[in-house]
Amino acid sequence: ALMQPFTRVVLYAFILLGFLSELKADDKQEIISNIKQTKTLKFQFEQIINTDIETGTCVMEFSTAIKCNYNDKNQKQIIAKKNSIHIYQARYKKLISYPDKNKMFSQILNQDNLIKQIQNSTLVEANNSLVVTINNPDQEQLEVYFNKLNFVLEGWSLNDIRNNKIFFKIQVLELNNVIDPNEFKVPVIN
């Protein structure tokens, strides 16, 4: 007997949905594989907070720290380690340090945790990127973006301590180069 047209459509829809979810699972595995192979990154960034746009370069060593040098008149640097964030303005020799109480940088820096979060979250395609949304009960939402063609980290978005939405777009310049540990030293102010 021939299948009813409605039954055929439903069957095709289930096959297509199964295929698409398998693709998403494969994409997740590619992203995870890429993260596992990455020890260090050097990248250019564009940070957008409300209408302000800042640019610069960062170096990041997974599970250690990230340091960003801003292209601004204050020669701002941000150094984030496991549980702390330090903002240094070289022009004024001014240092502000505070705990990363929302642990947002830690979410990205901790390679094992990032992989676990990716495994446990839904992967969505948006604006030519693959987006992983990380929701933790005591923390703000963090979205991490990956290139949908090569699965390389493209950036993230989150809310800062003043509840401003931050979009942090990156362009990777170097992968897995040795970074001098002194790069992540927090300046000492006399």
Side-chain angles (χ1 to χ4, degrees), residues 9-63:
V9 168
V10 170
L11 180 63
Y12 290 139
F14 277 122
I15 291 170
L16 182 61
L17 284 173
F19 177 72
L20 289 175
S21 66
E22 190 172 311
L23 279 179
K24 295 289 187 211
D26 288 346
D27 288 349
K28 264 191 190 182
Q29 288 310 310
E30 288 290 336
I31 289 169
I32 289 168
S33 174
N34 220 352
I35 291 170
K36 284 181 179 178
Q37 293 172 25
T38 303
K39 302 298 176 224
T40 65
L41 288 171
K42 180 177 182 180
F43 54 87
Q44 291 179 322
F45 71 87
E46 179 181 80
Q47 176 179 287
I48 303 167
I49 304 174
N50 300 324
T51 58
D52 296 332
I53 298 174
E54 296 178 293
T55 61
T57 57
C58 295
V59 291
M60 179 172 132
E61 186 172 334
F62 270 119
S63 299

Side-chain angles (χ1 to χ4, degrees), residues 146-175:
F146 297 90
N147 182 293
K148 77 175 190 177
L149 300 177
N150 62 12
F151 309 101
V152 171
L153 181 66
E154 286 187 331
W156 53 86
S157 65
L158 55 95
N159 290 335
D160 71 6
I161 59 171
R162 294 179 196 95
N163 212 24
N164 295 308
K165 187 74 167 178
I166 299 175
F167 294 97
F168 202 85
K169 300 176 191 175
I170 73 170
Q171 180 183 359
V172 175
L173 301 172
E174 298 173 6
L175 279 172

Side-chain angles (χ1 to χ4, degrees), residues 9-147:
V9 168
V10 170
L11 180 63
Y12 290 139
F14 277 122
I15 291 170
L16 182 61
L17 284 173
F19 177 72
L20 289 175
S21 66
E22 190 172 311
L23 279 179
K24 295 289 187 211
D26 288 346
D27 288 349
K28 264 191 190 182
Q29 288 310 310
E30 288 290 336
I31 289 169
I32 289 168
S33 174
N34 220 352
I35 291 170
K36 284 181 179 178
Q37 293 172 25
T38 303
K39 302 298 176 224
T40 65
L41 288 171
K42 180 177 182 180
F43 54 87
Q44 291 179 322
F45 71 87
E46 179 181 80
Q47 176 179 287
I48 303 167
I49 304 174
N50 300 324
T51 58
D52 296 332
I53 298 174
E54 296 178 293
T55 61
T57 57
C58 295
V59 291
M60 179 172 132
E61 186 172 334
F62 270 119
S63 299
T64 302
I66 183 171
K67 178 183 180 183
C68 298
N69 294 308
Y70 286 72
N71 299 328
D72 68 357
K73 65 182 182 192
N74 297 330
Q75 302 167 320
K76 180 167 70 171
Q77 296 177 350
I78 292 185
I79 302 166
K81 297 187 176 191
K82 291 181 180 160
N83 296 316
S84 60
I85 298 173
H86 310 276
I87 300 172
Y88 177 63
Q89 293 179 345
R91 180 178 178 188
Y92 302 111
K93 298 199 181 324
K94 180 179 175 184
L95 178 67
I96 302 167
S97 298
Y98 55 92
D100 183 9
K101 66 179 180 182
N102 288 341
K103 307 252 186 276
M104 281 305 173
F105 277 111
S106 301
Q107 294 288 337
I108 297 166
L109 277 176
N110 185 318
Q111 196 172 31
D112 293 334
N113 185 58
L114 181 58
I115 289 169
K116 185 174 139 190
Q117 295 288 347
I118 291 168
Q119 289 169 333
N120 295 331
S121 59
T122 304
L123 189 63
V124 178
E125 190 174 326
N127 300 325
N128 293 321
S129 294
L130 296 172
V131 182
V132 174
T133 301
I134 299 172
N135 289 305
N136 286 329
D138 342 336
Q139 300 167 3
E140 298 290 332
Q141 177 175 294
L142 170 68
E143 292 180 332
V144 184
Y145 303 91
F146 297 90
N147 182 293

